[in-house]
Amino acid sequence: MTGARTSMPVTQNACKLCTPLGACLVFRGIEGCIPFLHGSQGCATYIRRYLISHFREPIDIASSNFHEESAVFGGSDIFQQGVANVIRQYRPEMVGIATTCLAETIGEDMPRLLLDYATRHGDKAPLVSVSTASYRGTHIDGFHAAVSAVVNRFAAGGIRTNRLNLFPGMVSSADLRLLKEILSDFEFPLTILPDYSESMDGETWDKYEKLQPGGTPVKDIVLAGQSRATVEFGLTTESVLTAGRVLDEKFGVPRHLIGLPIGMKETDRFMGILEKVSDRSMPAKYAKQRGRLLDSYIDGHKYVFEKRAIVYGEEDLVIGLTAFLCEIGVVPVLCASGGKSGIFSPTLKKAVPDLPAETMIRGDCDFADMAEIAADCRPDLLIGSSKGYHLARKLDIPLIRAGFPIHDRIGGQRILHLGYQGAQELYDRLVNALLERKQDHSNVGYSYL
């Protein structure tokens, strides 16, 4: 069963976050870049709160700080002053500018503002602007738009090299580290964008750092147009002008678009692309990881078979998690997302052809929608962000935390989703959550399962 959301005048408890949040995370995944919001101070505070609660790292987000006069007459002057102050205080290598709903609503001409700034102040640090009105999309839309804008600004053509571009989407810091390890084992020089694996999950400091170290160097982004190939995660971006499409259209860099490699089948597909592009066999250590994963599927099958799950979050994350659930024998009874791509349902059905007939697919969905139909689904567990905690508590079922944001547990940024190793960790957590619930609700209280 599929269907549109029920008719409601407003969104209640949205299953998405604001568009410039995704852009700000991308900018902190670029070495020496400071995010800058052209809009109100409240927007910056909101985004900082969500990012800090998930990553447990400080993040500075500058703002032009709109006020009543700016909302009426435009924010050109406060933009010029704000950017100049940020460059003077932070000395960044780049300023990533995202617009908020207010700036978009009054129609701020960002190319003109950037040109005016360069005319007045020179080019002390490159400015990259991306349009991120939240009424047009979600944090994932802002994320992809920012990656595309950065690549469009910096990538240059030239003699083809052996480099590989990887645009993984909004995954965890641990996922980014795993992806870099895999590409290193395939002996690929790599441009991965963004890379917040260190800047948003780094070591403790002896002294405060205004801009945390780490991130993709701009010089590597310049080389992206000369790479052998691009691998891009995100099936719902097929018709979107993503960074991979920019490189293909401008420089002829072949683009391989696949779903998030969550679970064995999707990771097999990812590894197959790397084998083809590199003309190398998959390193033996990943064959062993795959073998251990398959063995664990066999060990835990009797505990998970035909259990029923609600999975929610970003569209491509839900697609990846749904594929994983189907391959381990769990029935995804509801697949829900706050995303607004308009192609969530057909993309999910195409990516997971063995999807059960009873599975409900809901796009542009919020937690009020989910709560209305969840009880009738008779779920055994939820999989998604911390935002689903209250629903899980109401239904008295486990919540397997995945995706973003995880703000009621430590280590949300270190949850591994991708690759054989990520599937192994997800599988163990899922099986153990079911066993723990069965054990806790047992009249016997047995200790051997």
Side-chain angles (χ1 to χ4, degrees):
M1 174 182 177
T2 63
R5 58 177 285 135
T6 56
S7 177
M8 289 192 298
V10 294
T11 296
Q12 304 175 60
N13 195 8
C15 187
K16 62 183 180 68
L17 296 166
C18 77
T19 313
L21 183 149
C24 288
L25 183 57
V26 169
F27 293 142
R28 280 311 297 126
I30 299 171
E31 188 176 61
C33 180
I34 178 75
F36 185 98
L37 290 186
H38 188 40
S40 67
Q41 181 63 44
C43 295
T45 302
Y46 161 80
I47 292 171
R48 289 180 64 251
R49 178 245 177 176
Y50 265 91
L51 292 176
I52 290 171
S53 70
H54 178 86
F55 289 98
R56 310 288 171 171
E57 296 281 1
I59 175 172
D60 286 355
I61 299 175
S63 171
S64 57
N65 197 13
F66 261 58
H67 43 71
E68 291 85 350
E69 183 179 337
S70 308
V72 176
F73 299 106
S76 177
D77 290 340
I78 59 173
F79 175 82
Q80 306 292 332
Q81 182 180 351
V83 173
N85 288 341
V86 164
I87 291 177
R88 184 179 66 254
Q89 293 178 19
Y90 286 83
R91 301 188 182 278
E93 297 179 33
M94 170 185 155
V95 180
I97 300 160
T99 50
T100 67
C101 294
L102 181 55
E104 292 282 340
T105 299
I106 67 173
E108 286 284 72
D109 185 350
M110 295 308 298
R112 181 185 65 80
L113 294 186
L114 266 61
L115 180 61
D116 286 350
Y117 181 86
T119 302
R120 295 185 192 181
H121 302 279
D123 191 19
K124 296 180 180 178
L127 309 183
V128 177
S129 176
V130 59
S131 174
T132 51
S134 283
Y135 50 76
R136 283 202 302 264
T138 72
H139 57 295
I140 292 300
D141 297 308
F143 188 100
H144 290 307
V147 177
S148 180
V150 170
V151 167
N152 192 50
R153 168 68 171 79
F154 291 110
I159 299 173
R160 191 73 72 216
T161 69
N162 194 41
R163 297 185 71 85
L164 181 76
N165 303 315
L166 179 58
F167 303 128
M170 191 171 168
V171 297
S172 74
S173 297
D175 288 326
L176 291 173
R177 288 190 287 268
L178 175 69
L179 290 170
K180 290 193 291 184
E181 179 181 349
I182 291 172
L183 271 296
S184 176
D185 289 336
F186 272 93
E187 298 184 359
F188 260 124
L190 176 66
T191 296
I192 184 170
L193 182 67
D195 180 11
Y196 43 84
S197 61
E198 299 298 330
S199 58
M200 294 301 292
D201 188 28
E203 304 170 79
T204 189
W205 308 329
D206 292 331
K207 60 180 181 179
Y208 181 74
E209 302 278 353
K210 289 183 178 180
L211 289 176
Q212 299 94 314
T216 308
V218 171
K219 62 180 179 60
D220 286 357
I221 305 173
V222 173
L223 298 174
Q226 305 162 28
S227 298
R228 174 184 292 193
T230 295
V231 177
E232 194 162 35
F233 298 160
L235 295 175
T236 62
T237 66
E238 187 170 5
S239 60
V240 177
L241 187 60
T242 59
R245 282 191 62 195
V246 168
L247 293 175
D248 188 8
E249 294 176 5
K250 289 183 69 173
F251 308 111
V253 179
R255 177 198 188 208
H256 301 272
L257 179 68
I258 62 173
L260 284 170
I262 300 176
M264 185 176 295
K265 292 180 181 178
E266 292 303 309
T267 303
D268 286 348
R269 186 171 289 111
F270 176 47
M271 291 294 183
I273 290 174
L274 296 183
E275 287 180 324
K276 179 181 178 180
V277 173
S278 67
D279 198 26
R280 291 171 52 89
S281 298
M282 181 174 69
K285 80 179 199 181
Y286 299 107
K288 290 182 179 295
Q289 289 179 7
R290 188 184 190 279
R292 284 192 292 270
L293 177 61
L294 181 59
D295 183 64
S296 71
Y297 282 3
I298 297 169
D299 294 339
H301 183 66
K302 60 184 178 181
Y303 301 119
V304 302
F305 181 63
E306 292 192 340
K307 294 296 184 182
R308 301 165 67 81
I310 294 175
V311 57
Y312 60 90
E314 297 93 15
E315 291 179 330
D316 284 296
L317 176 66
V318 171
I319 292 171
L321 289 171
T322 301
F324 166 68
L325 291 176
C326 287
E327 80 179 24
I328 65 175
V330 174
V331 179
V333 290
L334 174 61
C335 302
S337 176
K340 299 181 179 182
S341 71
I343 60 170
F344 176 49
S345 178
T347 304
L348 176 55
K349 291 178 181 179
K350 182 179 179 181
V352 190
D354 55 345
L355 198 67
E358 66 178 295
T359 300
M360 289 183 283
I361 306 172
R362 296 293 174 91
D364 193 13
C365 179
D366 62 21
F367 285 100
D369 294 324
M370 280 186 256
E372 285 182 6
I373 59 178
D376 293 336
C377 294
R378 296 177 288 110
D380 296 294
L381 70 153
L382 269 69
I383 306 180
S385 72
S386 294
K387 301 281 282 183
Y389 167 71
H390 294 290
L391 179 57
R393 181 169 176 166
K394 178 181 178 181
L395 297 172
D396 190 26
I397 58 176
L399 170 61
I400 311 300
R401 287 165 176 80
F404 177 93
I406 309 296
H407 48 215
D408 62 344
R409 293 291 186 273
I410 291 291
Q413 76 276 37
R414 290 185 290 275
I415 292 176
L416 201 59
H417 307 80
L418 307 185
Y420 303 124
Q421 189 176 341
Q424 184 72 77
E425 293 188 13
L426 284 173
Y427 186 74
D428 290 346
R429 289 169 55 215
L430 188 153
V431 175
N432 285 330
L434 292 171
L435 292 178
E436 182 178 354
R437 188 182 188 281
K438 183 176 182 181
Q439 191 176 36
D440 289 347
H441 287 72
S442 169
N443 293 327
V444 178
Y446 46 80
S447 60
Y448 186 89
L449 291 168

